[in-house]
């Protein structure tokens, strides 16, 4: 990690490449490749499951499935438009493809192909995409800040943003049991393990109150639930009582749970998401509350409407306000 | 492998003429449409549906059927004309073409129409879906095949070439693709938009079994489908069909701008008459 020009006593300078492989913090409990292992487990009982990728098997943990079921694995080459059109064709013949790539390539490059060949035809294809939101330091080419907005806007599409390894293991069989297209954000490699301590079970379309508190309600999805839980713990040291409502299913939204929790008087409502503040969970919740006539004090934590910088993830998460420390700092400031 | 032909069945020439007539009747309903394409591809559709493909008119989703993927969704009027001739869609629905609540929208969509296997409209989708279906049929050890039609203009789409590479890579000998080379797309002659020749050389270099035929010569088209079916190598099959826009209606054949045709009300009868006149020996 040391590089020329740094003083020996300085903090090690973080690099992009050191951080690309994992979003886990140092010392955090993790599980390797939960998606790959869960898919293998699922495929043991469901013969219709096939795995497909566009040259990113190793980088979406699909290689675990490929090793277990080589004859049910389709390497489609670096061709995302083909990947999703072919997934539609396999689904039309009665199979359930799990198609993987990076979130940027599914959401931006292959959007029309998913729209027309999968969503419009309501094909039973599960799309699992690594590097969602800001989980890569490679710059805008690899940062899928808009994926939730794009897939939320697509009719027929179910959209899921899991938090950790524990949840991913449960999302895989749950979306297989649901008939229809699904877009699922994927954490790959050494994936943090958090929710097992909360007695949590993933249920498609359901939000879960992981922690209650009277001062602030944090509504979050994906890795931001992890951050929200850590921030809530830290805020309690300052006698700020934070509730955390985890909303892994972005569409369809659990309107009942959100209205119930956000409707409780006297709490600041903060939506935290690893996504641009445009068109994601924050705006979905805001619209829901406005329509229902529920008007709490409301703030958003999310990525700004700009092309994000390249760099090391911890640096970027701090800069764009989605690190645990920044979540805590912003909430304290808003409550002052 | 071809459909058994009953002794008293209409000839392929009659089938092709009926497809053209159905398309003209639907065009008349709306006063406009992709009529020239329907006329140019009618011979290929006649051979596909009444010589090469296996299907059950009364059961359009019969598992053993050969799948027909219309990649160029704007040719829907042509496929509807063939599906009506095949008895998959009742002839009475001709009059509903393009109207609200019709099963026959202007652009072809699977969710609307029996016998329509994909939703086109956006170009360059069909061959990719064909790859997935072909892989799926092989997984199921099904003898069914994928027929897919696309236009020369679709060769502009990069996704087409992804699928062309993929079908050869996976040795998908259960795909029979037809490219309609009528040299006409929205802004003008296809070859002027983005050059695609020498097409046969390119496709062969990409690992396909390729034949180029006059797509309006029924005997040649029959021969091409037979050869595609009988070919022994584990390669996907492509039929490059050179066709004439407006084929069968001389005054439409000669029309310069015929990508999307508007026909004056009095001209529909003239077109139908011209079609019938062409049938006289």
């Amino acid at each position: 990690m040391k590089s020329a020009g740094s003083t020996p006593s300085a903090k090690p300078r973080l690099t992009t490449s050191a951080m690309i492989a994992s979003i886990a913090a140092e010392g955090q409990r993790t599980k390797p490749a939960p998606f790959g292992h869960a898919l293998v487990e699922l495929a043991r009982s469901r013969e219709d499951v096939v795995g497909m990728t566009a040259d990113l098997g190793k980088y979406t943990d699909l290689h675990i499935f490929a090793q277990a079921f080589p004859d049910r694995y389709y390497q489609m080459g670096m061709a995302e438009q083909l990947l999703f059109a072919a997934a539609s064709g396999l689904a039309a013949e009665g199979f359930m493809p799990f198609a993987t790539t990076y979130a940027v390539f599914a959401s931006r490059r292959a959007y029309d192909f998913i729209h027309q060949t999968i969503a419009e035809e309501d094909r039973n294809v599960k799309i699992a995409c690594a590097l969602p939101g800001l989980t890569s330091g490679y710059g805008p080419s690899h940062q899928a800040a808009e994926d939730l907005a794009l897939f939320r806007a697509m009719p027929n599409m179910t959209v899921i943003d899991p938090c950790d390894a524990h949840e991913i293991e449960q999302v895989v069989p749950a979306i297989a049991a649901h008939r229809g297209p699904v877009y699922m954000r994927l954490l790959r490699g050494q994936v943090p393990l958090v929710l097992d301590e909360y007695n949590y079970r993933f249920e498609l379309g359901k939000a879960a109150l992981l922690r209650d508190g009277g001062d602030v309600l944090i509504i979050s999805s994906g890795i931001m639930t992890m951050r929200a839980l850590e921030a809530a713990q830290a805020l309690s040291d300052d006698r700020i009582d934070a509730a955390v409502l985890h909303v892994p299913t972005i569409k369809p939204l659990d309107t009942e749970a959100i209205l119930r929790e956000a409707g409780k008087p006297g709490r600041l409502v903060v939506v935290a998401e690893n996504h641009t503040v445009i068109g994601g969970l924050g705006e979905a919740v805001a619209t829901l509350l406005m329509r229902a006539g529920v008007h709490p004090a409301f703030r958003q934590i999310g990525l700004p409407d700009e092309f994000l910088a390249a760099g090391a993830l911890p640096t970027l998460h701090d800069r764009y306000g989605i690190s645990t420390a920044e979540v805590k700092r912003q909430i304290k400031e808003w409550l002052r | 492998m071809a459909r058994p032909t009953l002794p008293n069945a209409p000839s392929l020439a009659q089938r092709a003429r009926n497809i053209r007539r159905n398309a003209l009747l639907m065009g008349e309903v709306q006063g406009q449409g992709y009529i020239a394409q329907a006329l140019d591809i009618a011979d290929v559709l006649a051979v596909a549906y009444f010589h090469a493909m296996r299907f059950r008119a009364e059961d359009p989703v019969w598992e053993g059927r050969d799948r027909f993927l219309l990649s160029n969704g704007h040719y829907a009027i042509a496929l509807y004309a063939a599906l009506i001739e095949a008895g998959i869609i009742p002839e009475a629905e001709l009059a509903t073409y393009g109207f609200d609540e019709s099963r026959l929208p202007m652009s072809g969509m699977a969710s609307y129409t029996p016998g329509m296997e994909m939703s086109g409209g956006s170009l360059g989708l069909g061959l990719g879906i064909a790859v997935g279906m072909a892989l799926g049929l092989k997984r199921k050890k099904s003898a069914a095949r994928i027929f897919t039609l696309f236009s020369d203009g679709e060769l502009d789409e990069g996704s087409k070439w992804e699928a062309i590479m993929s079908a050869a890579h996976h040795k998908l000998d259960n795909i029979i693709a037809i490219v309609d080379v009528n040299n006409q797309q929205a802004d003008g002659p296809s070859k002027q938009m983005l050059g695609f020749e020498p097409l046969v050389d390119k496709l062969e270099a990409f690992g396909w079994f390729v034949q180029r035929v006059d797509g309006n010569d029924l005997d040649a088209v029959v021969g091409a489908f037979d050869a595609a079916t009988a070919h022994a190598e584990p390669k996907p099959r492509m039929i490059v069909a050179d066709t004439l826009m407006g084929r069968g209606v001389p005054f439409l054949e000669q029309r310069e701008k015929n990508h999307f045709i508007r026909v004056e009300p009095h001209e529909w009868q003239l077109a139908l008459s011209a079609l019938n006149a062409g049938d006289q020996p």
Side-chain angles (χ1 to χ4, degrees):
Chain A
M1 292 289 277
K2 275 182 195 163
S3 60
S6 65
T7 55
S9 60
K11 237 169 92 175
R13 210 164 59 173
L14 300 176
T15 70
T16 301
S17 58
M19 289 298 155
I20 184 106
S22 177
I23 58 137
E26 215 169 298
Q28 191 169 24
R29 286 189 305 129
T30 61
K31 248 185 154 174
F35 169 71
H37 291 292
L39 194 60
V40 167
E41 193 57 38
L42 173 73
R44 286 206 179 101
S45 61
R46 288 201 61 155
E47 287 187 8
D48 55 341
V49 169
V50 295
M52 309 176 76
T53 192
D55 193 31
L56 285 172
K58 277 189 269 183
Y59 299 88
T60 55
D61 291 345
L62 195 63
H63 65 295
I64 306 284
F65 175 86
Q67 285 156 9
F69 296 101
D71 65 324
R72 288 158 71 174
Y73 174 68
Y74 294 101
Q75 172 58 263
M76 303 309 290
M78 203 192 306
E80 292 80 13
Q81 302 178 130
L82 168 72
L83 168 70
F84 293 112
S88 166
L90 271 156
E93 293 303 333
F95 297 96
M96 180 162 57
F98 277 72
T100 75
T101 178
Y102 284 165
V104 282
F105 304 135
S107 63
R108 303 205 301 250
R109 180 163 296 204
Y111 192 76
D112 184 44
F113 290 76
I114 295 172
H115 189 280
Q116 280 307 111
T117 72
I118 294 174
E120 200 276 335
E121 302 198 31
D122 206 18
R123 298 272 197 243
N124 197 20
V125 176
K126 316 303 173 188
I127 300 166
C129 290
L131 303 189
L134 176 54
T135 52
S136 158
Y138 271 33
S141 67
H142 284 59
Q143 290 159 347
E146 319 94 324
D147 61 336
L148 298 180
L150 286 162
F151 286 115
R152 262 187 79 217
M154 194 181 277
N156 283 349
M157 189 61 78
T158 294
V159 180
I160 296 174
D161 185 16
C163 169
D164 73 341
H166 180 71
E167 184 156 48
I168 287 171
E169 288 171 346
Q170 298 173 27
V171 165
V172 170
I175 61 178
H178 163 81
R179 209 225 143 272
V182 174
Y183 173 75
M184 159 190 182
R185 279 180 150 195
L186 183 62
L187 306 168
R188 58 98 202 265
Q190 291 294 333
V191 178
L193 194 55
V194 176
L195 295 182
D196 56 333
E197 290 181 2
Y198 290 80
N199 239 343
Y200 172 76
R201 295 288 315 166
F202 172 80
E203 209 180 321
L204 192 68
K206 292 290 180 207
L209 191 68
L210 300 178
R211 178 190 169 109
D212 212 349
D215 299 317
V216 56
L217 168 69
I218 308 174
I219 299 175
S220 58
S221 71
I223 62 166
M224 291 313 290
T225 293
M226 210 183 298
R227 301 279 156 86
L229 290 168
E230 289 166 359
Q233 189 58 43
L235 283 165
S236 70
D237 296 343
D238 297 328
R239 303 201 173 161
I240 293 170
D241 219 5
V244 176
L245 180 69
H246 176 46
V247 185
T249 308
I250 306 295
K251 184 184 173 185
L253 208 53
D254 186 347
T255 56
E256 200 184 312
I258 292 169
L259 286 174
R260 183 186 66 232
E261 290 303 322
K264 289 178 182 166
R267 292 197 295 196
L268 169 68
V269 172
V270 176
V271 179
E273 60 189 318
N274 171 29
H275 185 268
T276 165
V277 291
I278 294 177
L281 181 63
E283 287 194 348
V285 169
T287 308
L288 170 67
L289 298 183
M290 286 296 283
R291 282 185 183 148
V294 175
H295 304 136
F298 181 87
R299 295 285 187 279
Q300 264 182 286
I301 292 175
L303 305 170
D305 176 28
E306 61 188 66
F307 288 106
L308 308 177
L313 275 186
T315 312
L316 298 178
H317 282 191
D318 266 340
R319 179 180 304 173
Y320 297 117
I322 63 171
S323 65
T324 300
E326 276 299 300
V327 171
K328 180 192 169 192
R329 188 191 63 74
Q330 291 172 88
I331 289 174
K332 271 186 80 173
E333 197 173 298
W334 289 327
L335 285 176
R336 258 202 322 203
Chain B
M1 296 292 271
R3 284 176 74 76
T5 307
L6 300 172
N8 58 349
S11 68
L12 288 174
Q14 285 170 305
R15 296 292 198 183
R17 186 178 55 243
N18 292 344
I19 291 170
R20 289 188 166 94
R21 183 204 60 200
N22 291 344
L24 283 171
L25 290 170
M26 278 184 280
E28 186 175 14
V29 166
Q30 288 294 332
Q32 58 188 12
Y34 295 95
I35 303 300
Q37 291 87 339
L39 295 171
D40 84 42
I41 206 62
D43 298 305
V44 166
L45 289 172
V47 176
Y49 274 85
F50 303 102
H51 175 73
M53 282 168 54
R54 290 160 297 197
F55 65 91
R56 291 177 180 167
E58 71 287 359
D59 183 10
V61 292
W62 169 51
E63 175 63 24
R65 76 193 182 283
D66 289 329
R67 282 75 166 146
F68 188 95
L69 293 172
L70 182 72
S71 185
N72 38 351
H74 61 295
Y75 278 41
I77 191 170
L79 188 58
Y80 300 154
L83 293 171
I84 289 166
E85 178 64 15
I88 295 172
I89 298 172
E91 194 165 348
E93 289 191 39
L94 272 177
T96 73
Y97 171 69
F99 282 109
D100 293 349
E101 316 301 330
S102 171
R103 295 200 298 177
L104 312 180
M106 302 280 275
S107 186
M109 286 179 277
S111 43
Y112 281 64
T113 317
M116 190 68 77
E117 302 269 6
M118 64 169 279
S119 293
S122 174
L123 295 173
L125 305 177
L127 203 50
I129 299 174
V131 166
M133 278 190 174
L135 290 169
L137 289 172
K138 283 185 178 287
R139 281 206 76 75
K140 291 193 280 191
K141 307 204 184 321
S142 166
R145 298 159 299 175
I146 317 292
F147 290 74
T148 178
L149 173 66
F150 65 98
S151 61
D152 54 3
E154 284 190 85
L155 291 163
D156 297 359
E157 298 281 3
S159 58
K160 219 77 207 175
W161 296 96
E162 292 181 2
I164 286 168
M165 287 171 71
S166 181
H169 176 85
H170 292 285
K171 300 182 168 57
L172 299 179
D173 52 8
N174 49 352
I175 292 178
I176 298 178
I178 307 109
V179 51
D180 179 22
V181 181
N182 57 25
N183 195 32
Q184 191 66 236
Q185 55 193 89
D187 267 353
S190 307
K191 286 169 192 170
Q192 288 177 24
M193 299 301 111
L194 186 57
F196 55 82
E197 298 288 7
L199 188 52
V200 172
D201 292 351
K202 280 180 185 163
L203 294 168
E204 281 177 350
F206 273 70
W208 285 61
F209 170 63
V210 189
Q211 304 167 80
R212 187 161 197 157
V213 295
D214 177 346
N216 295 124
D217 177 336
L218 279 170
D219 291 337
V221 175
V222 167
F225 275 106
D226 287 348
T229 301
H231 189 73
E233 288 179 289
K235 291 177 169 184
R237 294 95 211 273
M238 185 84 74
I239 298 170
V240 179
D242 290 296
T243 65
L244 179 66
M245 297 282 279
R247 174 76 189 202
V249 178
F251 75 89
L252 292 179
E253 289 173 11
Q254 285 150 23
R255 198 166 281 200
E256 204 169 303
K257 287 185 177 166
N258 54 10
H259 174 73
F260 186 82
I261 284 188
R262 283 185 174 72
V263 178
E264 301 303 320
H266 71 279
E267 289 182 311
W268 292 103
Q269 269 315 310
L270 290 176
L272 281 166
S273 306
L275 187 63
N276 291 332
D279 301 334
Q280 307 306 321

